[in-house]
Amino acid sequence: MAEPNQPNPTPGRPAPGTPGSKPSGSKSSGSAKGKPSSGGKGGSMPEAATQEQVPHHKSARQRRGRKKGNMDLNLTSMIDVTFQLLIYFIITAAFSAGEGILTAKFPQGTGQSAAKDPPKRPLNIRLAPHLDENGLDSYRLDVEVRGTPVGQASFEDLYTWLRSNNNAINSAGPYPDDNPVIIKPQNGVRWTYVVNAFNAAIKAGYKNVAFAQAGGG
Amino acid sequence: MSQVTEKGPKSPQMNMTPMIDVTFQLIIFFMLVNTITSTEDVEMIVPKLWEPEIKEIKDVEKVVINVKLKPTDPDAKRDGEEAWMYGHTVEFVRIGLDTYAPEDLARMTKDLKEVKEGRKKIQVILRADGALHYGELQPILQHITQAGIELINIVAYMPDGGPDNAPHL
């Protein structure tokens, strides 16, 4: 007799030991004698089929009624975590605009590392604050040549002027490329314009470009 | 052979493998390109240059001096022409984790000296907001000079790298 609390593993098929099923020990004697149930000389197909339908032994798993099938890994949790990570990285990704550097000297005479030799014929680039026609902050630019200011409309003009006067590029230019170029901004000039003037001088081929202390204005 | 169980046909399942593959690829991509926001990065608009002659910032030993602009109106949106109306004074100077007020620059000089001691190859990078007035920035430059620093690298936008709303020139 089957145990009262044991479930029937195969619905529609009598459980072993229940009325209507063959006694489980009926075929065990054949196996015990070493006779193969199928494939052997003495084996017959109907007998083998009967043995398959009514196995004499079932594992505990089969008895518990697990159905056959592929074993699948539950990926739901992993996908959840993965998407959380993805969203985090997308949100925190900072595609900041690229930045570069310009190497510069410091203002003269302001510290222990200031330039030692005062230049004889420095090119002074003067920058003053200015309001444009729209009332916005702008700049006024000129190059001081032997005390005379030569006005420059833009940084492009400044670059052109400096380049045409650079002896290393233009043989008619009076200034060698190691001639000191000093940028002299006034107090109210934006840092952007100061760096632009510096950039124009470097671009024009001058190697000795420095900042001066801020002037009044 | 059809997959038919004793309970009936098997329920259909979506193949998640390609999606997981792509997702992991995306995660790895974002992990690599993501610049972890460090305390060294202070939000600002650095100078945008006309045809800049600038070099890339190499991955060398460096000390970054950030000079932050003090906004006249903290709630103002800084874009377009308003960028110029935003302010022109210094709010603070930040080097690594240390923040210095404009009136506390002597301490900055002392710390910079300590940083520079024994590290001659260290690069000093000045990352200042483009809208600052030179008169506001110059005391900071003086204090950096007093720390024994002769050369400095000024940060500007790379070509085509600046924001569209960068200041007009």
Side-chain angles (χ1 to χ4, degrees):
Chain A
M1 286 292 286
E3 291 178 16
N5 58 348
Q6 186 173 351
N8 186 354
T10 50
R13 186 183 294 177
T18 52
S21 66
K22 288 190 176 181
S24 61
S26 61
K27 289 291 169 187
S28 62
S29 58
S31 297
K33 286 173 186 174
K35 289 179 182 176
S37 57
S38 63
K41 285 180 181 178
S44 60
M45 281 304 289
E47 193 178 344
T50 312
Q51 194 177 14
E52 197 174 314
Q53 284 172 358
V54 187
H56 77 281
H57 172 74
K58 279 194 171 184
S59 67
R61 187 175 291 174
Q62 284 173 314
R63 280 200 298 273
R64 281 198 298 271
R66 290 269 175 89
K67 65 177 183 180
K68 289 179 183 176
N70 295 329
M71 197 168 66
D72 285 334
L73 191 66
N74 189 3
L75 296 175
T76 316
S77 316
M78 194 188 71
I79 293 166
D80 287 350
V81 173
T82 309
F83 271 109
Q84 295 283 347
L85 283 169
L86 183 63
I87 291 163
Y88 167 76
F89 281 114
I90 288 172
I91 290 171
T92 59
F95 294 102
S96 57
E99 294 177 358
I101 49 170
L102 282 164
T103 305
K105 282 187 178 180
F106 267 119
Q108 295 178 22
T110 53
Q112 58 192 23
S113 301
K116 291 153 189 117
D117 301 323
K120 290 176 183 173
R121 290 172 60 198
L123 274 170
N124 294 323
I125 299 170
R126 301 192 309 186
L127 274 162
H130 173 69
L131 290 178
D132 66 9
E133 61 274 13
N134 299 319
L136 295 169
D137 267 7
S138 185
Y139 59 90
R140 184 171 284 137
L141 181 66
D142 63 59
V143 184
E144 195 182 59
V145 184
R146 293 171 189 170
T148 309
V150 179
Q152 309 293 331
S154 66
F155 294 109
E156 191 175 355
D157 289 350
L158 174 67
Y159 160 73
T160 311
W161 191 92
L162 287 173
R163 190 177 168 83
S164 64
N165 283 276
N166 186 349
N167 187 259
I169 296 167
N170 177 13
S171 57
Y175 298 99
D177 60 355
D178 61 346
N179 194 83
V181 177
I182 300 171
I183 295 159
K184 291 185 168 179
Q186 288 188 6
N187 277 330
V189 177
R190 305 274 184 183
W191 178 239
T192 293
Y193 301 141
V194 179
V195 183
N196 262 286
F198 179 82
N199 178 63
I202 295 285
K203 195 174 171 59
Y206 291 90
K207 294 170 183 169
N208 189 6
V209 188
F211 293 113
Q213 293 189 52
Chain B
M1 197 172 181
S2 63
Q3 287 189 335
V4 179
T5 63
E6 291 160 354
K7 285 184 176 176
K10 194 176 181 181
S11 59
Q13 286 187 332
M14 196 191 289
N15 187 6
M16 292 290 188
T17 316
M19 192 187 73
I20 293 167
D21 287 348
V22 171
T23 311
F24 271 113
Q25 295 282 348
L26 284 169
I27 284 180
I28 291 164
F29 168 75
F30 279 110
M31 281 176 78
L32 291 177
V33 301
N34 193 19
T35 313
I36 303 297
T37 309
S38 67
T39 51
E40 282 194 1
D41 291 329
V42 179
E43 194 179 339
M44 66 175 73
I45 297 178
V46 296
K48 188 181 181 186
L49 305 179
W50 169 81
E51 294 195 6
E53 284 279 306
I54 59 176
K55 299 175 282 186
E56 278 187 38
I57 303 170
K58 290 181 180 170
D59 194 16
V60 293
E61 198 180 8
K62 62 193 174 191
V63 54
V64 181
I65 303 167
N66 291 286
V67 187
K68 177 87 165 67
L69 183 80
K70 186 178 185 180
T72 45
D73 178 8
D75 299 325
K77 199 176 176 185
R78 196 182 180 197
D79 57 354
E81 293 176 350
E82 281 184 28
W84 295 111
M85 308 302 168
Y86 196 72
H88 56 83
T89 55
V90 176
E91 184 174 2
F92 60 77
V93 180
R94 182 169 289 163
I95 304 171
L97 292 168
D98 296 315
T99 304
Y100 309 90
E103 59 273 10
D104 193 21
L105 295 175
R107 187 166 64 90
M108 183 193 77
T109 307
K110 185 172 157 283
D111 290 351
L112 272 175
K113 270 183 187 169
E114 286 174 10
V115 168
K116 199 156 189 315
E117 242 171 52
R119 297 151 91 185
K120 287 189 175 178
K121 287 187 176 178
I122 195 165
Q123 280 198 13
V124 182
I125 292 173
L126 177 66
R127 195 166 170 268
D129 198 295
L132 282 167
H133 278 181
Y134 186 68
E136 298 285 329
L137 199 58
Q138 215 228 339
I140 297 163
L141 299 180
Q142 279 187 17
H143 279 84
I144 295 169
T145 314
Q146 284 165 13
I149 295 160
E150 296 174 19
L151 292 176
I152 196 157
N153 298 292
I154 298 166
V155 172
Y157 279 116
M158 289 286 279
D160 303 319
D164 294 335
N165 56 11
H168 64 288
L169 297 175

